[in-house]
């Protein structure tokens, strides 16, 4: 039987890389060979060699088609998607072709043992591509390689995207001019009792009778529709968190694997770098100087951009709440040329000096969230961050920015009860009041701890996610053992 060798190809943004690298290391730990496909731009940022990074795990790369000095920011995602689909897809096809067995007619001795650049790696037998790269799945299948779709977002948001055509048919979108965003939404299975207009992806709000579908909504909805036709769909979630959504998705797919939270299945950080940003190495030492559950950790992720006004409201609300805070403020985060980082440091010095707050451009988030001093997580509710907060049992205050974050934050506030949903409001009084409730509410703390205990059981031996991961490994091995149809 040919050894299984999986090519893992994430969408080239921080959150997708984090999640799929945990997945790749998990497959390698299960005995499979894994090639992790970065873009050349990201591989240079990470400083990784294409040689073996860990036993049975290596890194390869393809160009994304953009100049190296291109910002690749949230406003450029559609441009990145188009560039990947044109230039990137050509390079991807060429690379994948070199990773396949040499046909017997071209190699009298049978399949070549040096396929795929590294003689220590057998030919690729399976591709797992990010669901936002549907062409990567199609290309693999055209070349005779079985391909699976991996979605790094939540199951509940995936189901919302899957329901977009039905939402149009029911007249739920576009939203009527002047209509309330608190109106309930019909059409997303089993979410009718709590899903509101404001909990759908923000792109739905840009729709009107005279405007075509938002390009990002189109990308996400069409990708989702494509994903359900793949040989299988992989989700970084647990049945205990999103069982209803996973069940509804399963009715529309050939197979679905709920194998998360993946980062909790491997408590140690991956042996290889995954952050495109340089992490501040003083966060832990600073937290060590604070009492248990006394610090608010603030991070709005790798893509969110806020206005100067929003920055000011956040700052004033944080100061008024009276807790020490650790704030991740990327240089490109405030829409004011990066000058607000200096302004914030001055404000911190004015309200209590270095012990009152710390500002960093990027933080080792998992280490911060598991620190005893952190009592609340003010987050954008990206799925990785949501899962990391859940696993550590940290109460959350959610201020979503875009995409799946609107739906995730609703689940935190209205379904799981492990935090509060502050979407669509950026007012200092609301920030102050919401942080105080999250830091002091025994109900929220209890829900957060109970949820943490459950998901940890899910990823432990015999838990639902651990069993699903074993089933997935067996599924990939079975695909790899089938007669190949490479061309």
């Amino acid at each position: 039987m040919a050894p299984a060798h999986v090519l893992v190809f994430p969408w080239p943004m921080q959150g997708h890389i984090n999640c799929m690298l945990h997945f790749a290391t998990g497959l390698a730990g299960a005995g499979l060979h894994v090639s992790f496909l970065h873009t050349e731009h990201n591989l240079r940022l990470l400083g990784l060699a294409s040689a073996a990074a860990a036993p049975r795990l290596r890194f390869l790369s393809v160009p994304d088609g953009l100049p190296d000095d291109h910002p690749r920011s949230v406003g450029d995602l559609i441009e990145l998607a188009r560039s990947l689909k044109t230039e990137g897809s050509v390079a991807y096809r060429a690379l994948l072709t070199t990773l396949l067995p040499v046909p017997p007619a071209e190699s009298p001795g049978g399949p070549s043992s040096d396929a795929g650049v590294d003689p220590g790696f057998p030919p690729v037998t399976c591709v797992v591509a990010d669901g936002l790269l549907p062409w990567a799945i199609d290309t693999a299948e055209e070349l005779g390689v079985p391909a699976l779709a991996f979605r790094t977002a939540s199951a509940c948001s995936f189901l919302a995207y899957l329901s977009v055509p039905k939402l149009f048919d029911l007249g739920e979108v576009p939203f009527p001019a002047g209509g309330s965003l608190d109106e309930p939404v019909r059409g997303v299975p089993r979410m009718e009792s709590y899903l509101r207009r404001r909990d759908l992806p923000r792109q739905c709000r840009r729709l009107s009778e005279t405007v075509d579908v938002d390009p990002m909504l189109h990308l996400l909805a069409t990708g989702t529709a494509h994903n359900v036709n793949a040989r299988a769909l992989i989700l970084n979630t647990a049945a205990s968190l999103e069982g209803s959504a996973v069940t509804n998705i399963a009715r529309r797919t050939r197979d679905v694997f709920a194998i998360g939270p993946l980062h909790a299945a491997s408590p140690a950080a991956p042996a290889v770098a995954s952050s495109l940003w340089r992490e501040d190495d003083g966060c832990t030492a600073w937290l060590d100087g604070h009492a248990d559950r006394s610090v608010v950790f603030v991070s709005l992720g790798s893509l969110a951009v806020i206005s100067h006004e929003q920055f000011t409201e956040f700052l004033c609300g944080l100061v008024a709440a009276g807790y020490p805070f650790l704030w991740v403020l990327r240089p490109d985060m405030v829409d004011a040329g990066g000058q607000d980082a200096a302004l914030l440091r001055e404000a911190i010095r004015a309200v209590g000096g270095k012990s009152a707050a710390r500002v960093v451009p990027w933080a080792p988030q998992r280490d911060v969230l598991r620190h005893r001093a952190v009592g609340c997580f003010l987050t954008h509710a990206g799925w990785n961050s949501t899962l990391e907060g859940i696993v550590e049992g940290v109460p959350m205050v959610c201020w979503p920015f875009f995409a799946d974050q609107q739906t995730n934050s609703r689940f935190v506030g209205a379904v799981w009860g492990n935090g509060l949903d502050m979407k669509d409001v950026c007012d200092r009084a609301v920030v102050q009041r919401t942080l105080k409730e999250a830091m002091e509410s025994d109900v929220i703390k209890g829900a957060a701890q109970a949820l943490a205990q459950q998901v940890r059981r899910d990823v432990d031996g015999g838990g639902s996610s651990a069993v699903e991961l074993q089933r997935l490994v067996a599924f990939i091995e079975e695909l790899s053992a089938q007669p190949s149809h490479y061309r």
Side-chain angles (χ1 to χ4, degrees):
M1 180 177 76
H5 177 187
V6 185
L7 180 71
V8 177
F9 190 4
W11 173 258
M13 287 291 167
Q14 184 68 74
H16 296 249
I17 293 169
N18 288 350
C19 178
M20 294 188 74
L21 184 56
H22 284 299
F23 172 66
T25 55
L27 292 185
L32 308 187
H33 287 81
V34 183
S35 291
F36 195 86
L37 188 58
H38 279 293
T39 60
E40 292 176 353
H41 173 81
N42 286 345
L43 193 63
R44 282 192 292 272
L45 286 177
L46 292 166
L48 300 173
S50 59
R56 293 182 295 275
L57 173 63
R58 65 175 178 181
F59 294 105
L60 303 175
S61 65
V62 292
D64 62 15
L66 297 175
D68 204 45
D69 60 354
H70 190 284
R72 295 167 175 80
S73 63
V74 66
D76 306 308
L77 295 182
I78 294 300
E79 184 181 1
L80 175 60
R82 289 170 179 158
S83 183
L84 280 166
K85 190 174 181 180
T86 52
E87 280 197 54
S89 65
V90 174
Y92 165 75
R93 178 184 285 271
L95 175 66
L96 185 54
T97 301
T98 70
L99 300 174
L100 304 182
V102 176
E106 300 177 22
S107 177
S112 172
S113 63
D114 62 356
V117 182
D118 187 339
F121 276 68
V124 163
T125 59
C126 179
V127 166
V128 177
D130 196 302
L132 297 188
L133 301 171
W135 49 264
I137 296 171
D138 292 341
T139 298
E141 293 285 356
E142 289 167 10
L143 293 173
V145 186
L148 316 181
F150 190 117
R151 281 301 283 267
T152 60
S154 58
C156 58
S157 65
F158 183 92
L159 188 58
Y161 287 124
L162 192 59
S163 303
V164 163
K166 185 176 181 181
L167 295 177
F168 273 99
D169 291 343
L170 292 172
E172 295 288 348
V173 291
F175 299 158
S180 171
L181 290 177
D182 289 318
E183 281 293 314
V185 171
R186 303 166 299 149
V188 184
R190 301 294 295 275
M191 296 190 205
E192 291 88 350
S193 63
Y194 50 82
L195 201 68
R196 307 161 299 178
R197 287 173 179 165
R198 71 173 71 251
D199 304 318
L200 290 175
R202 187 176 295 274
Q203 290 82 5
C204 291
R205 305 183 190 186
R206 301 178 186 175
L207 304 175
S208 71
E209 299 291 351
T210 59
V211 177
D212 291 335
V213 175
D214 178 87
M216 180 57 68
L217 181 62
H218 182 265
L219 172 70
L220 292 164
T222 56
T224 301
H226 180 281
N227 297 163
V228 297
N229 295 315
R231 292 178 185 248
L233 173 67
I234 304 168
L235 295 169
N236 183 27
T237 193
S240 64
L241 281 177
E242 302 187 278
S244 176
V246 172
T247 297
N248 277 283
I249 292 167
R251 297 189 181 117
R252 305 275 295 275
T253 58
R254 295 162 71 176
D255 205 346
V256 62
F257 295 87
I259 60 173
L262 281 162
H263 80 278
S266 54
V272 291
S274 63
S275 179
L276 301 175
W277 298 80
R278 183 178 179 181
E279 297 174 346
D280 182 274
D281 56 8
C283 294
T284 300
W286 183 83
L287 288 167
D288 287 343
H290 292 82
D292 291 358
R293 306 304 175 203
S294 66
V295 174
V296 174
F297 175 50
V298 186
S299 178
L300 300 180
S302 59
L303 291 175
V305 176
I306 62 176
S307 67
H308 182 276
E309 180 183 359
Q310 289 169 329
F311 160 81
T312 303
E313 294 300 312
F314 272 123
L315 172 60
C316 292
L318 282 162
V319 171
Y323 306 104
F325 59 87
L326 171 62
W327 192 349
V328 175
L329 191 71
R330 303 186 329 268
D332 63 343
M333 183 173 159
V334 180
D335 195 11
Q339 298 177 356
D340 286 299
L343 175 63
L344 180 57
R345 292 187 182 95
E346 291 177 11
I348 289 167
R349 284 194 292 270
V351 298
K354 294 181 180 179
S355 63
R358 183 178 178 87
V359 183
V360 297
W362 199 245
Q365 182 164 291
R366 289 177 61 194
D367 293 339
V368 169
L369 286 171
R370 65 165 60 104
H371 197 284
R372 58 164 183 78
V374 174
C376 174
F377 183 19
L378 174 50
T379 173
H380 63 308
W383 189 233
N384 286 339
S385 293
T386 301
L387 288 177
E388 288 167 6
I390 286 173
V391 168
E392 301 307 329
V394 178
M396 288 187 260
V397 171
C398 300
W399 193 78
F401 179 61
F402 81 137
D404 63 316
Q405 299 160 17
Q406 264 69 28
T407 309
N408 300 343
S409 63
R410 183 59 169 169
F411 269 63
V412 168
V415 179
W416 302 318
N418 61 317
L420 299 167
D421 185 2
M422 198 174 64
K423 68 163 61 80
D424 298 326
V425 178
C426 193
D427 174 85
R428 64 190 68 186
V430 175
V431 173
Q432 176 188 4
R433 182 175 66 250
T434 308
L435 287 175
K436 280 187 169 292
E437 183 176 354
M439 288 287 282
E440 298 173 10
S441 169
D442 290 335
V443 173
I444 292 175
K445 292 177 185 178
Q449 286 298 317
L451 201 59
Q453 292 170 9
Q454 178 56 59
V455 296
R456 287 171 183 163
R457 287 193 293 268
D458 292 332
V459 298
D460 285 343
S464 63
S465 295
V467 170
E468 281 292 274
L469 181 57
Q470 292 173 348
R471 187 171 74 88
L472 175 59
V473 170
F475 181 79
I476 291 173
E477 290 177 331
E478 183 179 351
L479 287 176
S480 300
Q482 294 174 2
S484 64
H485 302 284
Y486 301 117
R487 46 177 181 253

